[in-house]
Amino acid sequence: METYGPKWSPGPFERGTDGPHLVLVGVDGSPTSLRAGAYAAGLARRQKSQLVVVFVLTPSAWAGMTPGLLAGAQEETYDEMISELREPIKRMAGESGVPVTFLVQRGDAYLELKKAAVEYRADLVVVGASESAGHRLVGSVATRLVKAGLWPVTVVP
């Protein structure tokens, strides 16, 4: 976990006040998730909210069966993705004055986003729309978050 920008002081916890105090956004490096990140950052800036950016590393189903060399390559790719996300997040936090927490989690995207939203008491969850045609049958992370019914969810196209 990394924290950037000014220190945020939450005040007493209360749901349903004047706008979200904490906006949580899930990013995975896809174009829709990056648009969701930009939307969430703008919303957090306008609402004077805290922003929690969650990047979930979801190893491929083959990761457990790959030899060390391939697993190492996957870890190197993850490290590069994290570095590519970290710099714009830091820059945005400094320029906009939005307090940002950057989390990197491992596992199922839906479960990790849900866990982070509950732990941080998110008032709003923002995610990008799925670009996969298969999610129409199985269900996307966004659909599962909406169906959970625990917070308002904004899905950015």
Side-chain angles (χ1 to χ4, degrees):
M1 178 176 74
E2 301 171 16
T3 305
Y4 314 115
K7 183 171 173 32
W8 182 69
S9 60
F13 176 72
E14 179 183 350
R15 286 215 184 270
T17 57
D18 297 335
H21 289 288
L22 190 137
V23 177
L24 183 134
V25 62
V27 296
D28 62 7
S30 69
T32 59
S33 81
L34 296 177
R35 284 193 295 271
Y39 176 84
L43 180 64
R45 181 186 54 78
R46 289 186 300 277
Q47 295 289 326
K48 297 180 179 21
S49 303
Q50 181 180 15
L51 179 64
V52 176
V53 180
V54 182
F55 177 67
V56 181
L57 301 171
T58 307
S60 71
W62 302 101
M65 297 184 276
T66 58
L69 184 60
L70 292 176
Q74 186 175 35
E75 285 301 313
E76 191 174 310
T77 301
Y78 285 156
D79 290 342
E80 288 173 11
M81 289 174 71
I82 293 165
S83 293
E84 286 176 12
L85 289 171
R86 181 179 289 126
E87 291 311 312
I89 291 170
K90 279 184 182 179
R91 188 172 51 253
M92 182 276 304
E95 291 172 358
S96 66
V98 173
V100 179
T101 301
F102 180 47
L103 298 174
V104 177
Q105 306 287 41
R106 288 184 181 272
D108 176 69
Y110 164 72
L111 294 175
E112 294 303 322
L113 289 171
K114 181 179 173 185
K115 185 168 73 172
V118 169
E119 179 182 337
Y120 284 88
R121 295 183 174 167
D123 295 305
L124 172 67
V125 176
V126 180
V127 292
S130 174
E131 295 178 326
S132 171
H135 286 160
R136 290 189 183 103
L137 299 174
V138 179
S140 67
V141 171
T143 301
R144 293 168 68 193
L145 288 167
V146 169
K147 286 182 179 180
L150 299 173
W151 338 260
V153 177
T154 300
V155 182
V156 177

CSV table of all heavy atoms in Angstrom, one decimal, residues 1-62:
chain,number,residue,atom,x,y,z
A,1,MET,N,0.8,-1.2,0.0
A,1,MET,CA,0.0,0.0,0.0
A,1,MET,C,0.9,1.2,0.0
A,1,MET,O,1.9,1.3,0.7
A,1,MET,CB,-0.9,0.0,1.2
A,1,MET,CG,-1.8,1.2,1.3
A,1,MET,SD,-2.9,1.3,2.7
A,1,MET,CE,-1.8,1.6,4.0
A,2,GLU,N,0.5,2.2,-0.8
A,2,GLU,CA,1.3,3.4,-0.9
A,2,GLU,C,0.3,4.6,-0.8
A,2,GLU,O,-0.9,4.5,-1.3
A,2,GLU,CB,2.0,3.5,-2.3
A,2,GLU,CG,3.0,2.4,-2.5
A,2,GLU,CD,3.5,2.4,-3.9
A,2,GLU,OE1,3.4,3.4,-4.6
A,2,GLU,OE2,4.1,1.3,-4.2
A,3,THR,N,0.7,5.7,-0.2
A,3,THR,CA,-0.2,6.8,0.0
A,3,THR,C,0.5,8.0,-0.6
A,3,THR,O,1.7,8.3,-0.4
A,3,THR,CB,-0.4,7.1,1.5
A,3,THR,OG1,-0.9,5.9,2.0
A,3,THR,CG2,-1.4,8.2,1.7
A,4,TYR,N,-0.3,8.8,-1.4
A,4,TYR,CA,0.2,10.0,-2.0
A,4,TYR,C,-0.7,11.2,-1.7
A,4,TYR,O,-1.8,11.0,-1.4
A,4,TYR,CB,0.3,9.9,-3.6
A,4,TYR,CG,0.9,8.6,-4.0
A,4,TYR,CD1,0.1,7.6,-4.7
A,4,TYR,CD2,2.2,8.2,-3.8
A,4,TYR,CE1,0.7,6.4,-5.1
A,4,TYR,CE2,2.8,7.1,-4.2
A,4,TYR,CZ,2.0,6.1,-4.9
A,4,TYR,OH,2.5,5.0,-5.3
A,5,GLY,N,-0.2,12.4,-1.9
A,5,GLY,CA,-1.0,13.6,-1.8
A,5,GLY,C,-1.1,14.0,-0.3
A,5,GLY,O,-0.4,13.5,0.6
A,6,PRO,N,-2.0,15.0,0.0
A,6,PRO,CA,-2.2,15.4,1.3
A,6,PRO,C,-2.8,14.4,2.2
A,6,PRO,O,-3.5,13.5,1.8
A,6,PRO,CB,-3.1,16.7,1.1
A,6,PRO,CG,-3.8,16.4,-0.1
A,6,PRO,CD,-2.9,15.6,-1.0
A,7,LYS,N,-2.6,14.6,3.5
A,7,LYS,CA,-3.2,13.7,4.5
A,7,LYS,C,-4.7,14.0,4.5
A,7,LYS,O,-5.2,15.1,4.5
A,7,LYS,CB,-2.7,13.9,5.9
A,7,LYS,CG,-3.2,13.0,6.9
A,7,LYS,CD,-2.4,13.1,8.2
A,7,LYS,CE,-2.9,12.4,9.4
A,7,LYS,NZ,-3.6,11.1,9.2
A,8,TRP,N,-5.5,12.9,4.5
A,8,TRP,CA,-7.0,13.1,4.5
A,8,TRP,C,-7.5,12.8,5.9
A,8,TRP,O,-7.1,11.9,6.6
A,8,TRP,CB,-7.6,12.0,3.6
A,8,TRP,CG,-9.1,12.1,3.5
A,8,TRP,CD1,-9.8,13.1,2.9
A,8,TRP,CD2,-10.0,11.1,3.9
A,8,TRP,NE1,-11.2,12.8,2.9
A,8,TRP,CE2,-11.3,11.6,3.6
A,8,TRP,CE3,-9.9,9.9,4.6
A,8,TRP,CZ2,-12.5,10.9,3.9
A,8,TRP,CZ3,-11.1,9.2,4.9
A,8,TRP,CH2,-12.3,9.7,4.6
A,9,SER,N,-8.4,13.7,6.4
A,9,SER,CA,-9.0,13.5,7.7
A,9,SER,C,-10.5,13.3,7.5
A,9,SER,O,-11.2,14.1,7.0
A,9,SER,CB,-8.8,14.7,8.6
A,9,SER,OG,-9.3,15.9,8.0
A,10,PRO,N,-10.9,12.1,7.8
A,10,PRO,CA,-12.3,11.6,7.5
A,10,PRO,C,-13.4,12.2,8.2
A,10,PRO,O,-14.5,12.4,7.7
A,10,PRO,CB,-12.2,10.1,7.7
A,10,PRO,CG,-11.2,9.9,8.7
A,10,PRO,CD,-10.2,11.0,8.5
A,11,GLY,N,-13.2,12.6,9.5
A,11,GLY,CA,-14.4,13.0,10.3
A,11,GLY,C,-15.2,11.8,10.7
A,11,GLY,O,-14.8,10.7,10.4
A,12,PRO,N,-16.3,12.0,11.3
A,12,PRO,CA,-17.1,10.8,11.7
A,12,PRO,C,-17.7,10.1,10.5
A,12,PRO,O,-18.1,10.7,9.5
A,12,PRO,CB,-18.2,11.4,12.6
A,12,PRO,CG,-18.3,12.8,12.2
A,12,PRO,CD,-16.9,13.2,11.7
A,13,PHE,N,-17.7,8.7,10.6
A,13,PHE,CA,-18.3,7.9,9.5
A,13,PHE,C,-19.8,8.0,9.5
A,13,PHE,O,-20.5,7.9,10.5
A,13,PHE,CB,-17.9,6.5,9.7
A,13,PHE,CG,-18.5,5.6,8.7
A,13,PHE,CD1,-18.0,5.6,7.3
A,13,PHE,CD2,-19.5,4.7,9.0
A,13,PHE,CE1,-18.6,4.8,6.4
A,13,PHE,CE2,-20.1,3.9,8.0
A,13,PHE,CZ,-19.6,4.0,6.7
A,14,GLU,N,-20.3,8.3,8.3
A,14,GLU,CA,-21.8,8.4,8.1
A,14,GLU,C,-22.1,8.2,6.7
A,14,GLU,O,-21.5,8.8,5.8
A,14,GLU,CB,-22.3,9.8,8.5
A,14,GLU,CG,-23.7,10.0,8.4
A,14,GLU,CD,-24.2,11.4,8.7
A,14,GLU,OE1,-23.4,12.2,9.3
A,14,GLU,OE2,-25.3,11.7,8.4
A,15,ARG,N,-22.9,7.2,6.4
A,15,ARG,CA,-23.3,6.9,5.0
A,15,ARG,C,-24.4,7.9,4.6
A,15,ARG,O,-25.2,8.4,5.4
A,15,ARG,CB,-23.9,5.5,4.8
A,15,ARG,CG,-22.8,4.5,4.9
A,15,ARG,CD,-23.1,3.4,3.9
A,15,ARG,NE,-22.1,2.3,4.0
A,15,ARG,CZ,-21.0,2.3,3.3
A,15,ARG,NH1,-20.8,3.2,2.4
A,15,ARG,NH2,-20.2,1.3,3.4
A,16,GLY,N,-24.4,8.3,3.3
A,16,GLY,CA,-25.5,9.1,2.8
A,16,GLY,C,-25.3,10.6,3.1
A,16,GLY,O,-26.3,11.3,3.1
A,17,THR,N,-24.1,11.1,3.3
A,17,THR,CA,-23.9,12.5,3.5
A,17,THR,C,-23.8,13.2,2.2
A,17,THR,O,-24.1,12.6,1.1
A,17,THR,CB,-22.7,12.8,4.4
A,17,THR,OG1,-21.6,12.2,3.8
A,17,THR,CG2,-22.9,12.2,5.8
A,18,ASP,N,-23.3,14.4,2.2
A,18,ASP,CA,-23.2,15.2,0.9
A,18,ASP,C,-22.1,14.7,0.0
A,18,ASP,O,-21.1,15.3,-0.1
A,18,ASP,CB,-22.9,16.7,1.3
A,18,ASP,CG,-24.1,17.3,2.1
A,18,ASP,OD1,-25.2,16.8,1.9
A,18,ASP,OD2,-23.8,18.2,2.8
A,19,GLY,N,-22.4,13.7,-0.7
A,19,GLY,CA,-21.4,13.1,-1.7
A,19,GLY,C,-20.5,12.1,-1.0
A,19,GLY,O,-20.5,12.0,0.2
A,20,PRO,N,-19.7,11.4,-1.9
A,20,PRO,CA,-18.9,10.4,-1.3
A,20,PRO,C,-17.7,11.0,-0.6
A,20,PRO,O,-17.0,11.9,-1.1
A,20,PRO,CB,-18.5,9.6,-2.6
A,20,PRO,CG,-18.6,10.6,-3.7
A,20,PRO,CD,-19.7,11.5,-3.3
A,21,HIS,N,-17.3,10.4,0.5
A,21,HIS,CA,-16.1,10.7,1.2
A,21,HIS,C,-14.9,9.9,0.7
A,21,HIS,O,-13.8,10.4,0.8
A,21,HIS,CB,-16.2,10.5,2.7
A,21,HIS,CG,-17.1,11.5,3.4
A,21,HIS,ND1,-16.8,12.8,3.6
A,21,HIS,CD2,-18.4,11.4,3.9
A,21,HIS,CE1,-17.8,13.5,4.1
A,21,HIS,NE2,-18.8,12.6,4.3
A,22,LEU,N,-15.2,8.7,0.3
A,22,LEU,CA,-14.2,7.8,-0.2
A,22,LEU,C,-14.7,7.1,-1.5
A,22,LEU,O,-15.7,6.5,-1.5
A,22,LEU,CB,-13.8,6.7,0.8
A,22,LEU,CG,-12.6,6.0,0.4
A,22,LEU,CD1,-11.7,5.8,1.6
A,22,LEU,CD2,-12.9,4.6,-0.2
A,23,VAL,N,-13.9,7.4,-2.6
A,23,VAL,CA,-14.2,6.8,-3.9
A,23,VAL,C,-13.1,5.7,-4.1
A,23,VAL,O,-11.9,5.9,-4.0
A,23,VAL,CB,-14.1,7.8,-5.0
A,23,VAL,CG1,-14.4,7.2,-6.4
A,23,VAL,CG2,-15.1,8.9,-4.7
A,24,LEU,N,-13.6,4.5,-4.4
A,24,LEU,CA,-12.7,3.4,-4.7
A,24,LEU,C,-12.8,3.1,-6.2
A,24,LEU,O,-13.9,3.0,-6.7
A,24,LEU,CB,-13.1,2.1,-3.9
A,24,LEU,CG,-12.1,0.9,-4.1
A,24,LEU,CD1,-11.8,0.4,-2.7
A,24,LEU,CD2,-12.8,-0.1,-4.9
A,25,VAL,N,-11.7,2.9,-6.9
A,25,VAL,CA,-11.7,2.6,-8.3
A,25,VAL,C,-10.8,1.4,-8.6
A,25,VAL,O,-9.7,1.3,-8.0
A,25,VAL,CB,-11.2,3.8,-9.2
A,25,VAL,CG1,-9.8,4.3,-8.9
A,25,VAL,CG2,-11.4,3.5,-10.6
A,26,GLY,N,-11.3,0.5,-9.4
A,26,GLY,CA,-10.5,-0.7,-9.8
A,26,GLY,C,-9.8,-0.4,-11.1
A,26,GLY,O,-10.5,0.0,-12.1
A,27,VAL,N,-8.5,-0.6,-11.2
A,27,VAL,CA,-7.8,-0.5,-12.5
A,27,VAL,C,-7.1,-1.7,-12.8
A,27,VAL,O,-6.6,-2.5,-11.9
A,27,VAL,CB,-6.9,0.7,-12.5
A,27,VAL,CG1,-7.6,2.1,-12.3
A,27,VAL,CG2,-5.8,0.6,-11.4
A,28,ASP,N,-7.0,-2.0,-14.1
A,28,ASP,CA,-6.2,-3.2,-14.5
A,28,ASP,C,-5.3,-2.9,-15.7
A,28,ASP,O,-4.7,-3.8,-16.3
A,28,ASP,CB,-7.1,-4.4,-14.8
A,28,ASP,CG,-8.1,-4.1,-16.0
A,28,ASP,OD1,-8.0,-3.1,-16.7
A,28,ASP,OD2,-9.0,-4.9,-16.2
A,29,GLY,N,-5.2,-1.6,-16.1
A,29,GLY,CA,-4.4,-1.3,-17.2
A,29,GLY,C,-5.1,-1.2,-18.6
A,29,GLY,O,-4.6,-0.7,-19.6
A,30,SER,N,-6.4,-1.7,-18.6
A,30,SER,CA,-7.2,-1.6,-19.8
A,30,SER,C,-7.6,-0.2,-20.1
A,30,SER,O,-7.7,0.6,-19.2
A,30,SER,CB,-8.4,-2.6,-19.7
A,30,SER,OG,-9.3,-2.1,-18.8
A,31,PRO,N,-7.9,0.1,-21.3
A,31,PRO,CA,-8.4,1.5,-21.6
A,31,PRO,C,-9.7,1.9,-20.8
A,31,PRO,O,-9.7,3.0,-20.3
A,31,PRO,CB,-8.7,1.4,-23.1
A,31,PRO,CG,-7.9,0.3,-23.7
A,31,PRO,CD,-7.8,-0.7,-22.6
A,32,THR,N,-10.6,1.0,-20.6
A,32,THR,CA,-11.8,1.3,-19.9
A,32,THR,C,-11.5,1.5,-18.4
A,32,THR,O,-12.1,2.4,-17.8
A,32,THR,CB,-12.9,0.3,-20.0
A,32,THR,OG1,-12.5,-1.0,-19.6
A,32,THR,CG2,-13.4,0.2,-21.4
A,33,SER,N,-10.6,0.8,-17.9
A,33,SER,CA,-10.2,0.9,-16.4
A,33,SER,C,-9.4,2.2,-16.2
A,33,SER,O,-9.6,2.9,-15.2
A,33,SER,CB,-9.4,-0.2,-15.9
A,33,SER,OG,-8.1,-0.2,-16.2
A,34,LEU,N,-8.6,2.6,-17.2
A,34,LEU,CA,-7.9,3.9,-17.1
A,34,LEU,C,-8.9,5.1,-17.2
A,34,LEU,O,-8.7,6.1,-16.5
A,34,LEU,CB,-6.8,4.0,-18.2
A,34,LEU,CG,-5.7,2.9,-18.1
A,34,LEU,CD1,-4.7,3.1,-19.2
A,34,LEU,CD2,-5.0,3.0,-16.7
A,35,ARG,N,-9.9,4.9,-18.1
A,35,ARG,CA,-11.0,6.0,-18.1
A,35,ARG,C,-11.7,6.0,-16.8
A,35,ARG,O,-12.1,7.1,-16.3
A,35,ARG,CB,-11.9,5.7,-19.3
A,35,ARG,CG,-11.3,6.1,-20.6
A,35,ARG,CD,-12.4,6.2,-21.7
A,35,ARG,NE,-13.0,4.9,-22.0
A,35,ARG,CZ,-12.6,4.0,-22.9
A,35,ARG,NH1,-11.5,4.3,-23.6
A,35,ARG,NH2,-13.2,2.9,-23.1
A,36,ALA,N,-12.0,4.9,-16.2
A,36,ALA,CA,-12.6,4.8,-14.9
A,36,ALA,C,-11.7,5.5,-13.8
A,36,ALA,O,-12.3,6.2,-13.0
A,36,ALA,CB,-12.9,3.4,-14.5
A,37,GLY,N,-10.4,5.3,-13.9
A,37,GLY,CA,-9.5,5.9,-13.0
A,37,GLY,C,-9.5,7.4,-13.1
A,37,GLY,O,-9.6,8.2,-12.1
A,38,ALA,N,-9.6,7.9,-14.3
A,38,ALA,CA,-9.6,9.4,-14.6
A,38,ALA,C,-10.9,9.9,-14.1
A,38,ALA,O,-11.0,11.0,-13.4
A,38,ALA,CB,-9.4,9.7,-16.1
A,39,TYR,N,-12.0,9.2,-14.3
A,39,TYR,CA,-13.3,9.7,-13.9
A,39,TYR,C,-13.4,9.8,-12.3
A,39,TYR,O,-13.8,10.7,-11.8
A,39,TYR,CB,-14.4,8.8,-14.4
A,39,TYR,CG,-15.8,9.1,-13.9
A,39,TYR,CD1,-16.6,10.1,-14.5
A,39,TYR,CD2,-16.3,8.5,-12.8
A,39,TYR,CE1,-17.8,10.4,-14.0
A,39,TYR,CE2,-17.6,8.8,-12.3
A,39,TYR,CZ,-18.3,9.8,-12.9
A,39,TYR,OH,-19.6,10.1,-12.5
A,40,ALA,N,-12.9,8.7,-11.7
A,40,ALA,CA,-12.9,8.6,-10.2
A,40,ALA,C,-12.0,9.7,-9.6
A,40,ALA,O,-12.4,10.3,-8.6
A,40,ALA,CB,-12.4,7.3,-9.8
A,41,ALA,N,-10.9,10.0,-10.3
A,41,ALA,CA,-10.0,11.0,-9.8
A,41,ALA,C,-10.6,12.4,-9.9
A,41,ALA,O,-10.6,13.2,-8.9
A,41,ALA,CB,-8.7,11.0,-10.5
A,42,GLY,N,-11.3,12.7,-11.0
A,42,GLY,CA,-12.0,13.9,-11.1
A,42,GLY,C,-13.1,14.1,-10.1
A,42,GLY,O,-13.3,15.2,-9.6
A,43,LEU,N,-13.9,13.0,-9.9
A,43,LEU,CA,-15.0,13.0,-9.0
A,43,LEU,C,-14.4,13.3,-7.5
A,43,LEU,O,-14.9,14.1,-6.8
A,43,LEU,CB,-15.7,11.7,-9.0
A,43,LEU,CG,-16.9,11.6,-8.1
A,43,LEU,CD1,-18.0,12.6,-8.4
A,43,LEU,CD2,-17.5,10.2,-8.1
A,44,ALA,N,-13.3,12.6,-7.2
A,44,ALA,CA,-12.7,12.8,-5.9
A,44,ALA,C,-12.2,14.2,-5.7
A,44,ALA,O,-12.4,14.8,-4.6
A,44,ALA,CB,-11.6,11.8,-5.7
A,45,ARG,N,-11.7,14.8,-6.7
A,45,ARG,CA,-11.2,16.2,-6.6
A,45,ARG,C,-12.4,17.1,-6.4
A,45,ARG,O,-12.3,18.0,-5.5
A,45,ARG,CB,-10.4,16.5,-7.9
A,45,ARG,CG,-9.9,18.0,-7.9
A,45,ARG,CD,-9.3,18.3,-9.2
A,45,ARG,NE,-10.1,18.2,-10.4
A,45,ARG,CZ,-11.1,19.0,-10.7
A,45,ARG,NH1,-11.4,20.1,-10.0
A,45,ARG,NH2,-11.9,18.8,-11.8
A,46,ARG,N,-13.4,17.0,-7.2
A,46,ARG,CA,-14.6,17.9,-7.1
A,46,ARG,C,-15.3,17.7,-5.8
A,46,ARG,O,-15.8,18.7,-5.2
A,46,ARG,CB,-15.5,17.6,-8.3
A,46,ARG,CG,-15.0,18.1,-9.6
A,46,ARG,CD,-16.1,18.0,-10.7
A,46,ARG,NE,-16.5,16.6,-10.9
A,46,ARG,CZ,-15.9,15.7,-11.7
A,46,ARG,NH1,-14.8,16.0,-12.3
A,46,ARG,NH2,-16.4,14.5,-11.8
A,47,GLN,N,-15.4,16.5,-5.3
A,47,GLN,CA,-16.1,16.2,-4.0
A,47,GLN,C,-15.2,16.4,-2.8
A,47,GLN,O,-15.7,16.2,-1.7
A,47,GLN,CB,-16.7,14.8,-4.0
A,47,GLN,CG,-17.7,14.6,-5.1
A,47,GLN,CD,-19.0,15.4,-4.7
A,47,GLN,OE1,-19.4,15.5,-3.6
A,47,GLN,NE2,-19.7,15.9,-5.7
A,48,LYS,N,-13.9,16.6,-3.0
A,48,LYS,CA,-12.9,16.7,-1.9
A,48,LYS,C,-12.9,15.4,-1.1
A,48,LYS,O,-12.9,15.4,0.1
A,48,LYS,CB,-13.2,17.9,-1.0
A,48,LYS,CG,-13.0,19.2,-1.7
A,48,LYS,CD,-13.3,20.4,-0.9
A,48,LYS,CE,-13.1,21.7,-1.5
A,48,LYS,NZ,-13.2,21.9,-2.9
A,49,SER,N,-12.9,14.3,-1.9
A,49,SER,CA,-12.9,12.9,-1.3
A,49,SER,C,-11.5,12.3,-1.3
A,49,SER,O,-10.6,12.8,-2.0
A,49,SER,CB,-13.8,12.0,-2.1
A,49,SER,OG,-15.1,12.6,-2.2
A,50,GLN,N,-11.4,11.2,-0.6
A,50,GLN,CA,-10.2,10.4,-0.7
A,50,GLN,C,-10.4,9.4,-1.8
A,50,GLN,O,-11.5,9.0,-2.1
A,50,GLN,CB,-10.0,9.6,0.6
A,50,GLN,CG,-8.8,8.8,0.6
A,50,GLN,CD,-8.6,8.0,1.9
A,50,GLN,OE1,-9.5,7.9,2.8
A,50,GLN,NE2,-7.4,7.5,2.1
A,51,LEU,N,-9.3,9.1,-2.5
A,51,LEU,CA,-9.4,8.1,-3.6
A,51,LEU,C,-8.6,6.9,-3.3
A,51,LEU,O,-7.4,7.0,-2.9
A,51,LEU,CB,-8.9,8.8,-4.9
A,51,LEU,CG,-8.9,7.9,-6.2
A,51,LEU,CD1,-10.3,7.5,-6.6
A,51,LEU,CD2,-8.2,8.7,-7.3
A,52,VAL,N,-9.1,5.7,-3.4
A,52,VAL,CA,-8.4,4.5,-3.3
A,52,VAL,C,-8.4,3.8,-4.6
A,52,VAL,O,-9.4,3.5,-5.2
A,52,VAL,CB,-9.1,3.6,-2.2
A,52,VAL,CG1,-8.4,2.2,-2.1
A,52,VAL,CG2,-9.1,4.2,-0.8
A,53,VAL,N,-7.2,3.6,-5.2
A,53,VAL,CA,-7.0,2.9,-6.4
A,53,VAL,C,-6.5,1.5,-6.2
A,53,VAL,O,-5.5,1.3,-5.5
A,53,VAL,CB,-5.9,3.7,-7.3
A,53,VAL,CG1,-5.7,3.0,-8.6
A,53,VAL,CG2,-6.3,5.1,-7.5
A,54,VAL,N,-7.3,0.5,-6.7
A,54,VAL,CA,-7.0,-0.9,-6.4
A,54,VAL,C,-6.6,-1.5,-7.8
A,54,VAL,O,-7.4,-1.5,-8.7
A,54,VAL,CB,-8.2,-1.6,-5.8
A,54,VAL,CG1,-7.8,-3.1,-5.5
A,54,VAL,CG2,-8.6,-0.9,-4.5
A,55,PHE,N,-5.4,-2.1,-7.8
A,55,PHE,CA,-4.9,-2.8,-9.0
A,55,PHE,C,-4.8,-4.3,-8.5
A,55,PHE,O,-4.1,-4.6,-7.6
A,55,PHE,CB,-3.5,-2.3,-9.4
A,55,PHE,CG,-3.0,-3.1,-10.5
A,55,PHE,CD1,-3.5,-3.1,-11.8
A,55,PHE,CD2,-1.8,-3.9,-10.4
A,55,PHE,CE1,-3.0,-3.8,-12.9
A,55,PHE,CE2,-1.3,-4.6,-11.4
A,55,PHE,CZ,-1.8,-4.5,-12.7
A,56,VAL,N,-5.6,-5.1,-9.2
A,56,VAL,CA,-5.7,-6.5,-8.8
A,56,VAL,C,-4.9,-7.4,-9.8
A,56,VAL,O,-5.2,-7.4,-11.0
A,56,VAL,CB,-7.1,-7.1,-8.7
A,56,VAL,CG1,-7.1,-8.5,-8.3
A,56,VAL,CG2,-7.9,-6.2,-7.7
A,57,LEU,N,-3.9,-8.1,-9.3
A,57,LEU,CA,-3.1,-9.0,-10.2
A,57,LEU,C,-3.9,-10.3,-10.2
A,57,LEU,O,-4.1,-10.9,-9.1
A,57,LEU,CB,-1.7,-9.2,-9.6
A,57,LEU,CG,-0.9,-8.0,-9.4
A,57,LEU,CD1,0.4,-8.3,-8.7
A,57,LEU,CD2,-0.5,-7.4,-10.8
A,58,THR,N,-4.3,-10.7,-11.3
A,58,THR,CA,-5.1,-12.0,-11.5
A,58,THR,C,-4.2,-12.9,-12.3
A,58,THR,O,-4.2,-12.8,-13.5
A,58,THR,CB,-6.4,-11.7,-12.2
A,58,THR,OG1,-7.1,-10.7,-11.4
A,58,THR,CG2,-7.3,-13.0,-12.2
A,59,PRO,N,-3.5,-13.8,-11.6
A,59,PRO,CA,-2.6,-14.7,-12.4
A,59,PRO,C,-3.5,-15.6,-13.3
A,59,PRO,O,-4.6,-15.9,-13.0
A,59,PRO,CB,-2.0,-15.6,-11.3
A,59,PRO,CG,-2.2,-14.9,-10.0
A,59,PRO,CD,-3.4,-14.0,-10.2
A,60,SER,N,-2.9,-15.9,-14.5
A,60,SER,CA,-3.6,-16.8,-15.4
A,60,SER,C,-3.8,-18.2,-14.8
A,60,SER,O,-3.1,-18.6,-13.9
A,60,SER,CB,-2.8,-16.9,-16.7
A,60,SER,OG,-1.7,-17.7,-16.5
A,61,ALA,N,-4.8,-18.9,-15.3
A,61,ALA,CA,-5.1,-20.2,-14.8
A,61,ALA,C,-3.9,-21.1,-15.0
A,61,ALA,O,-3.7,-22.1,-14.3
A,61,ALA,CB,-6.3,-20.8,-15.6
A,62,TRP,N,-3.0,-20.8,-16.0
A,62,TRP,CA,-1.8,-21.6,-16.3
A,62,TRP,C,-0.6,-21.3,-15.4
A,62,TRP,O,0.4,-22.0,-15.4
A,62,TRP,CB,-1.4,-21.5,-17.7
A,62,TRP,CG,-2.5,-21.8,-18.6
A,62,TRP,CD1,-3.4,-21.0,-19.3
A,62,TRP,CD2,-3.0,-23.1,-19.0
A,62,TRP,NE1,-4.3,-21.6,-20.0
A,62,TRP,CE2,-4.1,-23.0,-19.9
A,62,TRP,CE3,-2.6,-24.4,-18.7
A,62,TRP,CZ2,-4.8,-24.0,-20.4
A,62,TRP,CZ3,-3.3,-25.5,-19.2
A,62,TRP,CH2,-4.3,-25.3,-20.1
